[in-house]
């Protein structure tokens, strides 16, 4: 059983020394672009949620009133 793992490890080491093929390059670039799109969408969603919370917080803020007459419209 241990020899099987040794052969697998040896095979993987040989694979690391080989240059990347054109297909592997394009597949890696596609994965990286997909991850970049996911991160961009996640960041946009986070900014949108922050904006919603900021707008909701501004609804509950009250400004100080100089005197009580202005509150009642006098």
């Amino acid at each position: 059983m241990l020899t099987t793992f040794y052969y697998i490890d040896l095979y993987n080491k040989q694979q690391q020394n080989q240059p990347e093929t054109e297909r592997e390059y394009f597949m890696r670039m596609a994965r990286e672009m997909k991850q970049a799109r996911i991160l961009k969408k996640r960041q946009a969603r986070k900014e949108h949620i922050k904006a919603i919370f900021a707008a909701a917080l501004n609804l509950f803020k009250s400004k100080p009133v100089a005197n009580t007459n202005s509150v009642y419209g006098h």
Side-chain angles (χ1 to χ4, degrees), residues 7-65:
Y7 289 132
I8 291 171
D9 188 42
L10 186 64
Y11 175 77
N12 288 338
K13 284 183 181 176
Q14 288 173 351
Q15 290 294 326
Q16 288 174 355
N17 293 334
Q18 292 180 354
E20 190 175 35
T21 63
E22 187 176 358
R23 183 181 186 283
E24 291 171 342
Y25 170 77
F26 284 117
M27 293 302 288
R28 181 174 57 84
M29 293 304 286
R31 281 193 305 272
E32 290 175 0
M33 289 170 63
K34 183 178 179 182
Q35 289 297 324
R37 282 194 303 270
I38 290 170
L39 287 174
K40 188 175 178 182
K41 284 181 182 179
R42 189 175 293 156
Q43 188 67 25
R45 189 180 318 126
K46 188 186 288 185
E47 292 296 326
H48 183 67
I49 290 171
K50 281 183 183 178
I52 289 172
F53 277 120
L57 187 62
N58 285 336
L59 289 175
F60 294 109
K61 284 186 179 177
S62 61
K63 296 180 181 176
V65 179

